[in-house]
Amino acid sequence: MRSEQPPCVAKWLLRHFGSSPNNAALIGDLDERYRYSRNRFWYWRQVVWAIVASFFKEISGHKALAIRALIIGWTIKAAWLSAFWYVYGAPPRRLFTAGIEPLLFVFLMGIIAMMSTTWIIAKTHPVHYRPIVLLYLLLELIGPFLTFISKGVLGGYDWRYPAILQGVWPPLFQVIYEIQFHLGIFNGVAATWESAVIMVVSILVGGGFLRNEVDSNSAEHPPATT
Amino acid sequence: MTKRDQLGNFELMVMLALIRLGDNAYGVPISEDLEKRTGRDVAIGSVYAALERLEDKGFVASELGEATPERGGRAKRYFHVTARGLKEVRETQRALVKLWHGLPELEGGKA
């Protein structure tokens, strides 16, 4: 038997990742149709499509803003990396012989750097922060992935330090790798995935994606109970 | 008229649904009307993307309506076609009718 409540994970995703200015009305429409005639698969498909459609619509409608946001983000990132390399040298290898504390410090700095970058992007683009931060996140993931592919194809790939995250925040992957090494775990693949997850979460938290927002046009009635 | 102001295929379908529905045009009836008449499943997200583009072009206006419990307390957003939008639909219709004429393949003749 079908539940009267729409899938809560799908709804959460749409609430936090939907870029439409009418996101609350859209969720209300989906809930209304779901209650009368639809199934969970239909709801999930609608949610995924709503997130994708609103993202592309907002980006294509505000190209200049998106480019400005990317320039701001990459400028801040470049400033962080320059400061890091200025203090510790590049690559920061000598840091990793001094125990776990400096590693954790650098790890924390990497997270703060990512969060602050997307926080500034979100603050400077308050109306369209969702699609713009998502675009920044996608490019930060795609860029290193292309580097990873090209290095794999062209040769010279260093398996000890996979390139997949070096292009994003070079210290982060290396720090996680060295922390694992320090703990007696030798697993570059795990470090790559951990770095990717930490990077994604940091960017989303910094960009304000995970905060609880009250819908602008809701709460006149409490949700229906079944 | 710039290319940006022209109606796309899906946008035209949405405009026709808005005209047909009159005062009751919000996401659910619009998508149901499109599904019923085209025989295809319609994503409500795509309908909203088209409506927002049309609103940017000045062809559609909207206002918030009532919230109901079955919508999780969320208000409906009602859309209606503006005078400019109606003029654009008429111009598109005229252009399409002109394009349609003289094509035997589309008038029941032999291909």
mmCIF file of all heavy atoms in Angstrom, chain A residues 35-68:
data_model
loop_
_atom_site.group_PDB
_atom_site.id
_atom_site.type_symbol
_atom_site.label_atom_id
_atom_site.label_comp_id
_atom_site.label_asym_id
_atom_site.label_seq_id
_atom_site.Cartn_x
_atom_site.Cartn_y
_atom_site.Cartn_z
ATOM 1 N N ARG A 35 -0.541 12.954 -3.558
ATOM 2 C CA ARG A 35 -1.607 12.471 -2.668
ATOM 3 C C ARG A 35 -2.758 11.855 -3.448
ATOM 4 O O ARG A 35 -3.410 10.935 -2.983
ATOM 5 C CB ARG A 35 -2.142 13.628 -1.824
ATOM 6 C CG ARG A 35 -1.324 13.867 -0.615
ATOM 7 C CD ARG A 35 -1.771 15.089 0.131
ATOM 8 N NE ARG A 35 -0.731 15.451 1.065
ATOM 9 C CZ ARG A 35 -0.549 14.843 2.229
ATOM 10 N NH1 ARG A 35 -1.338 13.875 2.591
ATOM 11 N NH2 ARG A 35 0.435 15.218 3.026
ATOM 12 N N TYR A 36 -3.026 12.410 -4.633
ATOM 13 C CA TYR A 36 -4.205 11.931 -5.356
ATOM 14 C C TYR A 36 -3.932 10.734 -6.251
ATOM 15 O O TYR A 36 -4.756 9.851 -6.381
ATOM 16 C CB TYR A 36 -4.816 13.080 -6.176
ATOM 17 C CG TYR A 36 -5.421 14.123 -5.278
ATOM 18 C CD1 TYR A 36 -4.973 15.429 -5.281
ATOM 19 C CD2 TYR A 36 -6.426 13.770 -4.384
ATOM 20 C CE1 TYR A 36 -5.516 16.374 -4.432
ATOM 21 C CE2 TYR A 36 -6.972 14.707 -3.530
ATOM 22 C CZ TYR A 36 -6.520 16.003 -3.564
ATOM 23 O OH TYR A 36 -7.053 16.927 -2.719
ATOM 24 N N SER A 37 -2.786 10.719 -6.906
ATOM 25 C CA SER A 37 -2.696 9.680 -7.939
ATOM 26 C C SER A 37 -1.323 9.098 -8.210
ATOM 27 O O SER A 37 -1.211 8.246 -9.089
ATOM 28 C CB SER A 37 -3.226 10.263 -9.247
ATOM 29 O OG SER A 37 -2.521 11.444 -9.552
ATOM 30 N N ARG A 38 -0.301 9.527 -7.540
ATOM 31 C CA ARG A 38 1.029 9.146 -8.014
ATOM 32 C C ARG A 38 1.758 8.213 -7.073
ATOM 33 O O ARG A 38 1.359 8.026 -5.941
ATOM 34 C CB ARG A 38 1.860 10.417 -8.256
ATOM 35 C CG ARG A 38 1.250 11.318 -9.311
ATOM 36 C CD ARG A 38 1.223 10.626 -10.649
ATOM 37 N NE ARG A 38 0.572 11.433 -11.646
ATOM 38 C CZ ARG A 38 0.731 11.294 -12.958
ATOM 39 N NH1 ARG A 38 1.535 10.364 -13.424
ATOM 40 N NH2 ARG A 38 0.082 12.039 -13.793
ATOM 41 N N ASN A 39 2.880 7.663 -7.595
ATOM 42 C CA ASN A 39 3.682 6.747 -6.776
ATOM 43 C C ASN A 39 5.045 7.352 -6.451
ATOM 44 O O ASN A 39 5.387 8.423 -6.947
ATOM 45 C CB ASN A 39 3.837 5.394 -7.489
ATOM 46 C CG ASN A 39 4.491 5.552 -8.851
ATOM 47 O OD1 ASN A 39 5.414 6.344 -9.010
ATOM 48 N ND2 ASN A 39 4.014 4.806 -9.826
ATOM 49 N N ARG A 40 5.806 6.621 -5.637
ATOM 50 C CA ARG A 40 7.099 7.128 -5.161
ATOM 51 C C ARG A 40 8.076 7.358 -6.314
ATOM 52 O O ARG A 40 8.837 8.315 -6.326
ATOM 53 C CB ARG A 40 7.696 6.158 -4.128
ATOM 54 C CG ARG A 40 6.851 6.033 -2.876
ATOM 55 C CD ARG A 40 7.399 4.955 -1.976
ATOM 56 N NE ARG A 40 8.539 5.422 -1.198
ATOM 57 C CZ ARG A 40 8.431 6.130 -0.076
ATOM 58 N NH1 ARG A 40 7.242 6.439 0.411
ATOM 59 N NH2 ARG A 40 9.499 6.518 0.569
ATOM 60 N N PHE A 41 8.067 6.423 -7.265
ATOM 61 C CA PHE A 41 8.980 6.550 -8.406
ATOM 62 C C PHE A 41 8.679 7.845 -9.167
ATOM 63 O O PHE A 41 9.592 8.572 -9.566
ATOM 64 C CB PHE A 41 8.834 5.323 -9.319
ATOM 65 C CG PHE A 41 9.675 5.402 -10.553
ATOM 66 C CD1 PHE A 41 11.059 5.309 -10.486
ATOM 67 C CD2 PHE A 41 9.081 5.585 -11.797
ATOM 68 C CE1 PHE A 41 11.832 5.401 -11.621
ATOM 69 C CE2 PHE A 41 9.852 5.680 -12.944
ATOM 70 C CZ PHE A 41 11.229 5.587 -12.855
ATOM 71 N N TRP A 42 7.371 8.097 -9.372
ATOM 72 C CA TRP A 42 6.971 9.333 -10.050
ATOM 73 C C TRP A 42 7.502 10.538 -9.268
ATOM 74 O O TRP A 42 8.042 11.470 -9.856
ATOM 75 C CB TRP A 42 5.434 9.397 -10.139
ATOM 76 C CG TRP A 42 4.922 10.690 -10.693
ATOM 77 C CD1 TRP A 42 4.740 10.995 -12.006
ATOM 78 C CD2 TRP A 42 4.568 11.870 -9.963
ATOM 79 N NE1 TRP A 42 4.284 12.283 -12.141
ATOM 80 C CE2 TRP A 42 4.169 12.842 -10.910
ATOM 81 C CE3 TRP A 42 4.552 12.202 -8.615
ATOM 82 C CZ2 TRP A 42 3.754 14.117 -10.526
ATOM 83 C CZ3 TRP A 42 4.140 13.465 -8.252
ATOM 84 C CH2 TRP A 42 3.746 14.412 -9.195
ATOM 85 N N TYR A 43 7.371 10.539 -7.941
ATOM 86 C CA TYR A 43 7.794 11.681 -7.127
ATOM 87 C C TYR A 43 9.300 11.904 -7.259
ATOM 88 O O TYR A 43 9.771 13.017 -7.466
ATOM 89 C CB TYR A 43 7.409 11.439 -5.665
ATOM 90 C CG TYR A 43 7.463 12.685 -4.819
ATOM 91 C CD1 TYR A 43 6.341 13.485 -4.649
ATOM 92 C CD2 TYR A 43 8.640 13.067 -4.189
ATOM 93 C CE1 TYR A 43 6.389 14.626 -3.883
ATOM 94 C CE2 TYR A 43 8.700 14.212 -3.411
ATOM 95 C CZ TYR A 43 7.575 14.990 -3.257
ATOM 96 O OH TYR A 43 7.625 16.131 -2.493
ATOM 97 N N TRP A 44 10.049 10.805 -7.158
ATOM 98 C CA TRP A 44 11.509 10.909 -7.263
ATOM 99 C C TRP A 44 11.923 11.481 -8.626
ATOM 100 O O TRP A 44 12.799 12.327 -8.733
ATOM 101 C CB TRP A 44 12.158 9.538 -7.051
ATOM 102 C CG TRP A 44 12.537 9.301 -5.633
ATOM 103 C CD1 TRP A 44 11.883 8.532 -4.717
ATOM 104 C CD2 TRP A 44 13.688 9.839 -4.950
ATOM 105 N NE1 TRP A 44 12.538 8.562 -3.514
ATOM 106 C CE2 TRP A 44 13.654 9.353 -3.625
ATOM 107 C CE3 TRP A 44 14.733 10.683 -5.311
ATOM 108 C CZ2 TRP A 44 14.616 9.658 -2.674
ATOM 109 C CZ3 TRP A 44 15.700 11.008 -4.372
ATOM 110 C CH2 TRP A 44 15.629 10.505 -3.073
ATOM 111 N N ARG A 45 11.285 10.962 -9.674
ATOM 112 C CA ARG A 45 11.612 11.429 -11.037
ATOM 113 C C ARG A 45 11.310 12.924 -11.165
ATOM 114 O O ARG A 45 12.107 13.677 -11.734
ATOM 115 C CB ARG A 45 10.778 10.624 -12.040
ATOM 116 C CG ARG A 45 11.375 10.544 -13.432
ATOM 117 C CD ARG A 45 10.890 9.313 -14.177
ATOM 118 N NE ARG A 45 9.484 9.073 -14.006
ATOM 119 C CZ ARG A 45 8.521 9.609 -14.763
ATOM 120 N NH1 ARG A 45 8.832 10.429 -15.725
ATOM 121 N NH2 ARG A 45 7.259 9.302 -14.558
ATOM 122 N N GLN A 46 10.197 13.356 -10.615
ATOM 123 C CA GLN A 46 9.825 14.767 -10.666
ATOM 124 C C GLN A 46 10.832 15.627 -9.906
ATOM 125 O O GLN A 46 11.185 16.718 -10.354
ATOM 126 C CB GLN A 46 8.422 14.959 -10.076
ATOM 127 C CG GLN A 46 7.303 14.373 -10.901
ATOM 128 C CD GLN A 46 6.926 15.217 -12.105
ATOM 129 O OE1 GLN A 46 7.143 16.426 -12.128
ATOM 130 N NE2 GLN A 46 6.377 14.577 -13.121
ATOM 131 N N VAL A 47 11.277 15.128 -8.766
ATOM 132 C CA VAL A 47 12.231 15.890 -7.942
ATOM 133 C C VAL A 47 13.556 16.055 -8.678
ATOM 134 O O VAL A 47 14.105 17.166 -8.768
ATOM 135 C CB VAL A 47 12.443 15.189 -6.579
ATOM 136 C CG1 VAL A 47 13.698 15.696 -5.882
ATOM 137 C CG2 VAL A 47 11.222 15.409 -5.688
ATOM 138 N N VAL A 48 14.069 14.962 -9.228
ATOM 139 C CA VAL A 48 15.355 15.032 -9.938
ATOM 140 C C VAL A 48 15.230 16.005 -11.109
ATOM 141 O O VAL A 48 16.092 16.881 -11.309
ATOM 142 C CB VAL A 48 15.787 13.628 -10.431
ATOM 143 C CG1 VAL A 48 16.984 13.729 -11.369
ATOM 144 C CG2 VAL A 48 16.126 12.731 -9.243
ATOM 145 N N TRP A 49 14.150 15.881 -11.850
ATOM 146 C CA TRP A 49 13.978 16.755 -13.010
ATOM 147 C C TRP A 49 13.800 18.202 -12.584
ATOM 148 O O TRP A 49 14.296 19.117 -13.248
ATOM 149 C CB TRP A 49 12.799 16.285 -13.862
ATOM 150 C CG TRP A 49 12.811 16.948 -15.200
ATOM 151 C CD1 TRP A 49 11.911 17.839 -15.677
ATOM 152 C CD2 TRP A 49 13.815 16.819 -16.214
ATOM 153 N NE1 TRP A 49 12.271 18.279 -16.929
ATOM 154 C CE2 TRP A 49 13.450 17.672 -17.277
ATOM 155 C CE3 TRP A 49 14.998 16.087 -16.319
ATOM 156 C CZ2 TRP A 49 14.209 17.800 -18.435
ATOM 157 C CZ3 TRP A 49 15.755 16.216 -17.470
ATOM 158 C CH2 TRP A 49 15.360 17.051 -18.504
ATOM 159 N N ALA A 50 13.086 18.440 -11.486
ATOM 160 C CA ALA A 50 12.884 19.817 -11.007
ATOM 161 C C ALA A 50 14.217 20.453 -10.607
ATOM 162 O O ALA A 50 14.468 21.628 -10.908
ATOM 163 C CB ALA A 50 11.919 19.825 -9.827
ATOM 164 N N ILE A 51 15.089 19.679 -9.951
ATOM 165 C CA ILE A 51 16.397 20.215 -9.546
ATOM 166 C C ILE A 51 17.230 20.541 -10.790
ATOM 167 O O ILE A 51 17.809 21.621 -10.905
ATOM 168 C CB ILE A 51 17.134 19.212 -8.631
ATOM 169 C CG1 ILE A 51 16.414 19.111 -7.279
ATOM 170 C CG2 ILE A 51 18.591 19.623 -8.431
ATOM 171 C CD1 ILE A 51 16.908 17.988 -6.391
ATOM 172 N N VAL A 52 17.269 19.608 -11.744
ATOM 173 C CA VAL A 52 18.078 19.806 -12.956
ATOM 174 C C VAL A 52 17.520 20.967 -13.791
ATOM 175 O O VAL A 52 18.271 21.861 -14.205
ATOM 176 C CB VAL A 52 18.103 18.503 -13.793
ATOM 177 C CG1 VAL A 52 18.764 18.740 -15.145
ATOM 178 C CG2 VAL A 52 18.836 17.403 -13.034
ATOM 179 N N ALA A 53 16.195 20.977 -14.007
ATOM 180 C CA ALA A 53 15.591 22.016 -14.855
ATOM 181 C C ALA A 53 15.773 23.398 -14.243
ATOM 182 O O ALA A 53 16.121 24.355 -14.950
ATOM 183 C CB ALA A 53 14.103 21.721 -15.060
ATOM 184 N N SER A 54 15.563 23.508 -12.914
ATOM 185 C CA SER A 54 15.687 24.828 -12.291
ATOM 186 C C SER A 54 17.144 25.290 -12.293
ATOM 187 O O SER A 54 17.423 26.479 -12.475
ATOM 188 C CB SER A 54 15.135 24.811 -10.862
ATOM 189 O OG SER A 54 15.826 23.894 -10.053
ATOM 190 N N PHE A 55 18.085 24.357 -12.138
ATOM 191 C CA PHE A 55 19.510 24.707 -12.163
ATOM 192 C C PHE A 55 19.884 25.304 -13.524
ATOM 193 O O PHE A 55 20.444 26.401 -13.610
ATOM 194 C CB PHE A 55 20.364 23.468 -11.872
ATOM 195 C CG PHE A 55 21.827 23.658 -12.117
ATOM 196 C CD1 PHE A 55 22.602 24.395 -11.238
ATOM 197 C CD2 PHE A 55 22.437 23.120 -13.238
ATOM 198 C CE1 PHE A 55 23.955 24.587 -11.471
ATOM 199 C CE2 PHE A 55 23.783 23.300 -13.476
ATOM 200 C CZ PHE A 55 24.547 24.035 -12.594
ATOM 201 N N PHE A 56 19.551 24.573 -14.610
ATOM 202 C CA PHE A 56 19.934 25.053 -15.943
ATOM 203 C C PHE A 56 19.178 26.331 -16.322
ATOM 204 O O PHE A 56 19.739 27.217 -16.970
ATOM 205 C CB PHE A 56 19.706 23.959 -16.994
ATOM 206 C CG PHE A 56 20.801 22.930 -16.976
ATOM 207 C CD1 PHE A 56 20.567 21.662 -16.489
ATOM 208 C CD2 PHE A 56 22.073 23.241 -17.425
ATOM 209 C CE1 PHE A 56 21.577 20.713 -16.442
ATOM 210 C CE2 PHE A 56 23.095 22.303 -17.392
ATOM 211 C CZ PHE A 56 22.841 21.035 -16.904
ATOM 212 N N LYS A 57 17.919 26.428 -15.900
ATOM 213 C CA LYS A 57 17.150 27.634 -16.219
ATOM 214 C C LYS A 57 17.777 28.861 -15.538
ATOM 215 O O LYS A 57 17.924 29.920 -16.152
ATOM 216 C CB LYS A 57 15.685 27.450 -15.774
ATOM 217 C CG LYS A 57 14.762 28.581 -16.131
ATOM 218 C CD LYS A 57 14.421 29.375 -14.910
ATOM 219 C CE LYS A 57 13.942 30.759 -15.280
ATOM 220 N NZ LYS A 57 13.861 31.630 -14.104
ATOM 221 N N GLU A 58 18.151 28.707 -14.267
ATOM 222 C CA GLU A 58 18.719 29.838 -13.527
ATOM 223 C C GLU A 58 20.099 30.222 -14.057
ATOM 224 O O GLU A 58 20.412 31.395 -14.182
ATOM 225 C CB GLU A 58 18.809 29.487 -12.038
ATOM 226 C CG GLU A 58 17.480 29.512 -11.326
ATOM 227 C CD GLU A 58 16.876 30.904 -11.252
ATOM 228 O OE1 GLU A 58 17.507 31.801 -10.697
ATOM 229 O OE2 GLU A 58 15.765 31.091 -11.785
ATOM 230 N N ILE A 59 20.920 29.210 -14.373
ATOM 231 C CA ILE A 59 22.264 29.518 -14.880
ATOM 232 C C ILE A 59 22.183 30.157 -16.268
ATOM 233 O O ILE A 59 22.851 31.163 -16.536
ATOM 234 C CB ILE A 59 23.142 28.237 -14.921
ATOM 235 C CG1 ILE A 59 23.445 27.754 -13.494
ATOM 236 C CG2 ILE A 59 24.458 28.507 -15.676
ATOM 237 C CD1 ILE A 59 24.251 28.708 -12.640
ATOM 238 N N SER A 60 21.349 29.590 -17.144
ATOM 239 C CA SER A 60 21.266 30.157 -18.497
ATOM 240 C C SER A 60 20.643 31.557 -18.471
ATOM 241 O O SER A 60 20.950 32.384 -19.330
ATOM 242 C CB SER A 60 20.475 29.231 -19.428
ATOM 243 O OG SER A 60 19.141 29.153 -18.989
ATOM 244 N N GLY A 61 19.814 31.824 -17.469
ATOM 245 C CA GLY A 61 19.198 33.151 -17.369
ATOM 246 C C GLY A 61 20.077 34.184 -16.688
ATOM 247 O O GLY A 61 19.776 35.377 -16.728
ATOM 248 N N HIS A 62 21.143 33.741 -16.040
ATOM 249 C CA HIS A 62 22.022 34.685 -15.313
ATOM 250 C C HIS A 62 23.488 34.322 -15.556
ATOM 251 O O HIS A 62 24.249 34.081 -14.615
ATOM 252 C CB HIS A 62 21.703 34.643 -13.805
ATOM 253 C CG HIS A 62 20.279 34.917 -13.489
ATOM 254 N ND1 HIS A 62 19.342 33.929 -13.329
ATOM 255 C CD2 HIS A 62 19.606 36.091 -13.346
ATOM 256 C CE1 HIS A 62 18.154 34.483 -13.085
ATOM 257 N NE2 HIS A 62 18.283 35.781 -13.091
ATOM 258 N N LYS A 63 23.863 34.277 -16.824
ATOM 259 C CA LYS A 63 25.224 33.848 -17.197
ATOM 260 C C LYS A 63 26.296 34.782 -16.623
ATOM 261 O O LYS A 63 27.320 34.327 -16.119
ATOM 262 C CB LYS A 63 25.356 33.784 -18.718
ATOM 263 C CG LYS A 63 24.519 32.683 -19.359
ATOM 264 C CD LYS A 63 24.819 32.603 -20.852
ATOM 265 C CE LYS A 63 23.804 31.735 -21.551
ATOM 266 N NZ LYS A 63 22.538 32.427 -21.865
ATOM 267 N N ALA A 64 26.038 36.090 -16.731
ATOM 268 C CA ALA A 64 27.040 37.057 -16.270
ATOM 269 C C ALA A 64 27.282 36.906 -14.761
ATOM 270 O O ALA A 64 28.433 36.933 -14.297
ATOM 271 C CB ALA A 64 26.586 38.474 -16.591
ATOM 272 N N LEU A 65 26.190 36.720 -14.010
ATOM 273 C CA LEU A 65 26.327 36.533 -12.555
ATOM 274 C C LEU A 65 27.117 35.267 -12.244
ATOM 275 O O LEU A 65 27.954 35.239 -11.339
ATOM 276 C CB LEU A 65 24.939 36.411 -11.908
ATOM 277 C CG LEU A 65 24.192 37.692 -11.551
ATOM 278 C CD1 LEU A 65 22.896 37.347 -10.854
ATOM 279 C CD2 LEU A 65 25.048 38.580 -10.651
ATOM 280 N N ALA A 66 26.832 34.203 -13.018
ATOM 281 C CA ALA A 66 27.518 32.928 -12.786
ATOM 282 C C ALA A 66 29.016 33.070 -13.048
ATOM 283 O O ALA A 66 29.840 32.586 -12.261
ATOM 284 C CB ALA A 66 26.916 31.849 -13.680
ATOM 285 N N ILE A 67 29.355 33.764 -14.133
ATOM 286 C CA ILE A 67 30.785 33.949 -14.455
ATOM 287 C C ILE A 67 31.456 34.787 -13.368
ATOM 288 O O ILE A 67 32.556 34.473 -12.918
ATOM 289 C CB ILE A 67 30.931 34.618 -15.852
ATOM 290 C CG1 ILE A 67 30.490 33.621 -16.932
ATOM 291 C CG2 ILE A 67 32.359 35.075 -16.104
ATOM 292 C CD1 ILE A 67 30.296 34.230 -18.313
ATOM 293 N N ARG A 68 30.775 35.827 -12.929
ATOM 294 C CA ARG A 68 31.333 36.672 -11.860
ATOM 295 C C ARG A 68 31.572 35.853 -10.589
ATOM 296 O O ARG A 68 32.615 35.955 -9.953
ATOM 297 C CB ARG A 68 30.379 37.825 -11.559
ATOM 298 C CG ARG A 68 30.998 38.884 -10.653
ATOM 299 C CD ARG A 68 29.998 39.962 -10.331
ATOM 300 N NE ARG A 68 29.021 39.508 -9.336
ATOM 301 C CZ ARG A 68 28.143 40.317 -8.747
ATOM 302 N NH1 ARG A 68 28.118 41.588 -9.050
ATOM 303 N NH2 ARG A 68 27.288 39.842 -7.858
#
